[in-house]
């Protein structure tokens, strides 16, 4: 993604045939993503109420992209012609207590189904830091939580239904469809628009969360894996100042946290609830201090009942094989004087390997370096190439929904199964309806 594409603010109106009256179509004002850093390139936003309307829309659109909860910071969901929102696909279809699965409509948000699962005695294996994102969008972009043994949210998917570029309803499962199924889960919006997703669930459990402050970066050299394995889910937060990790968030199953240690590799136990950015009010953060609560009220960093407003920020994230975690961390630390002035906070997490071909974690456990930037576009876009160059020895992959500047040829060289994915794209979208500038540039550009 180049700077010009990222900075565009003009809308381009569709000149072509309109969809049928069966279709709900609205113009949002303004047509921007969640953070407001991107204005979408079309005002044609279609909101089908059912699968039949979705099929009709896709058949009539020459070009179209799926739009979820608008939490992507780049142009992956953008279109110059049409977007189709999945907001009406927000229901829980059914819970299979024998197979340990739940089937939901693809547009449902994690925060909308977690209490239902817990009330029925079940849980998901992991959640992202924010619960206000849709299941389909999170899985399509390989969004994740933390935990060295926890796969991304997409790894919970055991079956998926979507409407492809030919308007066909396609159903695939992990059990029967192998790599094609995997490609349909982490699909970057290039195969079709998901309508229904089945997720693996497990028996519900209670969790506790504690925060430690001021972990010396020197402790990471010999203990990085041990630190990231110190709980069910562990996150490190740093602003890259003073060679210090300001906060370590440790989330554990209640049964595994009988006692809370006063110290963690040199970091001291916090005596009050904290926000990841220490200066901010933690009122909307999930409860800490070792207070026991349901899994879905501890795994995210922010409360389910908290509806985030548009945040003036930018986000980028890079994944490196875990064996290079410390080296990658210190490569970024060398840029601290350049990074710190433009940064709110960096979060470091771990994600287990998976078998999803377009996932950054395909066959490798990774460490994630997530940057929440001030919305200083020029400065951040100038910094990203330096960060990417610093991480280059470790072949970093970017998060599909965050901003990055990796050259397309470099990115493509790091996607082992890209050629196979393109064949699956051709099968399900032979006319390239779901290809936009982001897909054309990053998967096909030179």
């Amino acid at each position: 993604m180049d700077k010009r594409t990222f900075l565009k603010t003009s809308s381009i109106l569709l000149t072509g045939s309109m969809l049928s009256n069966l279709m709900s179509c609205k113009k949002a004002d303004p047509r921007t993503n969640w953070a407001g850093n991107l204005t979408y390139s079309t005002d044609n936003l279609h909101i089908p109420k059912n699968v039949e309307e979705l099929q009709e829309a896709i058949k009539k659109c020459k070009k179209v992209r799926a739009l979820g909860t608008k939490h992507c910071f780049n142009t992956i969901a953008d279109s110059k012609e049409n977007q189709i929102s999945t907001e009406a696909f927000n229901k829980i279809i059914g819970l299979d207590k024998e197979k340990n699965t739940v089937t939901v409509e693809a547009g449902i948000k994690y925060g909308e189904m977690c209490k239902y699962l817990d009330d029925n005695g079940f849980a998901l294996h992991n959640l992202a830091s924010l619960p206000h994102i849709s299941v389909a969008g999170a899985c399509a972009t390989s969004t994740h939580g933390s935990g060295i043994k926890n796969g991304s949210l997409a790894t919970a998917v055991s079956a998926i239904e979507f409407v492809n570029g030919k308007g066909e309803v396609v159903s695939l499962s992990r059990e029967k469809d192998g790599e094609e199924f995997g490609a349909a889960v982490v699909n970057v919006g290039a195969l079709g628009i998901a309508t229904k997703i089945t997720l693996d669930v497990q028996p519900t459990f209670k969790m506790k969360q504690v925060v430690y402050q001021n972990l010396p970066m020197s402790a990471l050299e010999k203990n990085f894996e041990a630190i990231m394995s110190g709980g069910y889910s562990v996150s490190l937060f740093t602003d890259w100042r003073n060679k210090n990790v300001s906060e370590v968030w440790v989330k554990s199953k209640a049964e595994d946290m009988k006692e809370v240690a006063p110290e963690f590799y040199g970091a001291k136990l916090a005596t009050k609830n904290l926000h990841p950015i220490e200066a901010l009010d933690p009122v909307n953060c999930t409860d800490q201090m070792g207070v026991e609560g349901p899994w879905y009220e501890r795994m995210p960093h922010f409360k389910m009942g908290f509806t985030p407003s548009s945040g003036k920020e930018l986000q980028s994230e890079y994944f490196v094989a875990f064996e290079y975690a410390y080296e990658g961390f210190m490569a970024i630390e060398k840029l601290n004087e350049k990074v710190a002035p433009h940064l709110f906070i960096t979060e470091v997490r771990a994600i287990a390997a998976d078998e999803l071909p377009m996932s950054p974690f395909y066959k490798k456990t990774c460490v994630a370096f997530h940057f929440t930037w001030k919305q200083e576009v020029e400065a951040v876009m100038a910094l990203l190439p330096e960060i990417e160059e610093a991480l280059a020895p470790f072949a970093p992959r970017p998060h599909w929904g965050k901003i990055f500047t990796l050259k397309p040829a470099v990115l493509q060289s790091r996607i082992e199964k890209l050629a196979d994915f393109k064949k699956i794209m051709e099968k399900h979208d032979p006319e390239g309806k779901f290809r936009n500038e982001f897909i054309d540039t990053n998967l096909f550009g030179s």
Side-chain angles (χ1 to χ4, degrees):
M1 179 184 65
D2 60 29
K3 186 190 297 184
R4 184 175 180 182
T5 300
F6 176 76
L7 293 175
K8 65 182 176 182
T9 57
S10 61
S11 296
I12 301 173
L13 296 177
L14 174 69
T15 56
S17 60
M18 299 298 291
L19 295 177
S20 72
N21 291 331
L22 293 175
M23 199 62 194
S24 173
C25 178
K26 76 176 182 181
K27 295 184 178 181
D29 184 22
R31 292 278 292 118
T32 68
N33 65 342
W34 172 76
N37 69 290
L38 174 72
T39 297
Y40 294 120
S41 301
T42 180
D43 280 335
N44 290 301
L45 175 64
H46 309 287
I47 309 174
K49 298 182 180 68
N50 52 50
V51 173
E52 291 74 21
E53 288 189 7
L54 176 59
Q55 289 178 282
E56 182 74 10
I58 290 174
K59 288 176 181 177
K60 291 192 175 183
C61 289
K62 290 184 178 180
K63 289 284 187 178
V64 66
R65 291 293 286 176
L67 184 67
T69 49
K70 302 186 290 186
H71 275 80
C72 288
F73 289 77
N74 60 28
T75 57
I76 190 171
D78 196 26
S79 173
K80 294 181 178 180
E81 298 190 22
N82 296 277
Q83 290 175 310
I84 294 179
S85 171
T86 58
E87 66 180 61
F89 288 78
N90 60 0
K91 300 176 185 63
I92 297 169
I93 297 172
L95 178 66
D96 191 324
K97 295 185 178 182
E98 292 186 2
K99 294 183 178 179
N100 288 338
T101 62
V102 64
T103 300
V104 297
E105 291 184 333
I108 196 169
K109 299 173 185 177
Y110 283 91
E112 294 171 341
M113 70 167 171
C114 285
K115 188 175 188 303
Y116 166 84
L117 289 178
D118 189 63
D119 287 346
N120 283 276
F122 290 94
L124 296 172
H125 80 288
N126 212 349
L127 291 170
S129 60
L130 197 66
H132 309 81
I133 53 178
S134 70
V135 172
C139 294
T141 55
S142 210
T143 294
H144 58 92
S146 190
I148 203 163
K149 295 181 180 180
N150 300 326
S152 74
L153 305 189
T155 60
V157 179
S158 60
I160 186 168
E161 177 187 280
F162 63 96
V163 178
N164 68 15
K166 295 178 280 189
E168 301 169 338
V169 177
V170 179
S171 297
L172 300 173
S173 71
R174 184 196 298 141
E175 182 181 4
K176 297 179 181 178
D177 298 293
E179 199 161 279
E180 184 175 1
F181 160 77
V185 176
V186 181
N187 57 64
V188 296
L191 304 186
I193 297 180
T195 55
K196 186 168 64 176
I197 291 178
T198 300
L199 303 170
D200 293 336
V201 294
Q202 58 184 278
T204 190
F205 53 93
K206 300 290 187 180
M207 296 192 81
K208 296 179 181 180
Q209 177 173 226
V210 294
V211 176
Y212 293 90
Q213 292 181 276
N214 300 317
L215 176 77
M217 286 187 183
S218 58
L220 297 174
E221 183 174 7
K222 295 182 179 179
N223 302 296
F224 209 113
E225 184 172 357
I227 288 169
M228 298 307 292
S229 303
Y232 187 88
S233 170
V234 176
S235 293
L236 312 181
F237 291 96
T238 181
D239 59 8
W240 303 103
R241 299 180 190 271
N242 305 317
K243 297 188 182 298
N244 180 59
V245 175
S246 54
E247 297 177 19
V248 182
W249 288 40
V250 180
K251 306 167 188 278
S252 299
K253 289 186 174 181
E255 63 194 51
D256 297 329
M257 188 185 282
K258 300 298 184 183
E259 298 181 1
V260 178
E263 189 171 324
F264 186 76
Y265 295 92
K268 304 298 184 182
L269 185 66
T271 57
K272 62 180 181 179
N273 285 342
L274 294 172
H275 190 284
I277 303 171
E278 188 175 353
L280 298 185
D281 192 331
V283 63
N284 293 316
C285 295
T286 48
D287 288 342
Q288 301 153 33
M289 306 294 292
V291 177
E292 184 173 305
W295 57 278
Y296 67 92
E297 291 183 352
R298 295 296 178 273
M299 276 199 281
H301 298 329
F302 298 97
K303 293 177 181 177
M304 297 288 188
F306 163 57
T307 302
S309 59
S310 296
K312 287 199 70 175
E313 63 188 54
L314 304 173
Q315 292 184 12
S316 55
E317 186 169 31
Y318 299 97
F319 307 108
V320 168
F322 197 87
E323 61 190 288
Y324 304 118
Y326 178 71
E327 290 87 345
F329 190 102
M330 297 312 295
I332 299 171
E333 201 280 329
K334 290 178 181 178
L335 299 173
N336 62 59
E337 292 185 0
K338 293 183 177 182
V339 169
H342 308 291
L343 185 74
F344 285 123
I345 202 71
T346 291
E347 181 178 7
V348 181
R349 289 179 280 184
I351 307 96
D354 62 40
E355 297 293 329
L356 304 170
M358 290 295 284
S359 163
F361 324 117
Y362 181 66
K363 294 187 180 299
K364 63 180 180 183
T365 295
C366 289
V367 62
F369 300 106
H370 182 281
F371 300 84
T372 300
W373 303 99
K374 299 172 185 176
Q375 207 167 87
E376 299 170 355
V377 176
E378 296 282 352
V380 171
M381 295 305 289
L383 261 175
L384 294 185
E386 294 193 56
I387 293 172
E388 292 164 359
E389 180 62 28
L391 292 175
F394 319 114
R397 288 271 302 272
H399 189 297
W400 286 115
K402 316 291 185 182
I403 56 175
F404 58 90
T405 62
L406 281 178
K407 292 181 179 180
V410 173
L411 175 58
Q412 292 163 30
S413 72
R414 295 173 184 169
I415 305 174
E416 180 181 336
K417 292 287 187 175
L418 181 57
D420 294 332
F421 182 74
K422 288 179 177 179
K423 291 178 182 178
I424 296 172
M425 285 179 62
E426 177 65 24
K427 174 181 177 179
H428 288 292
D429 187 27
E431 296 179 5
K433 286 191 176 187
F434 298 108
R435 286 178 59 168
N436 64 352
E437 188 172 351
F438 180 93
I439 297 297
D440 287 339
T441 298
N442 290 297
L443 299 190
F444 294 88
S446 57

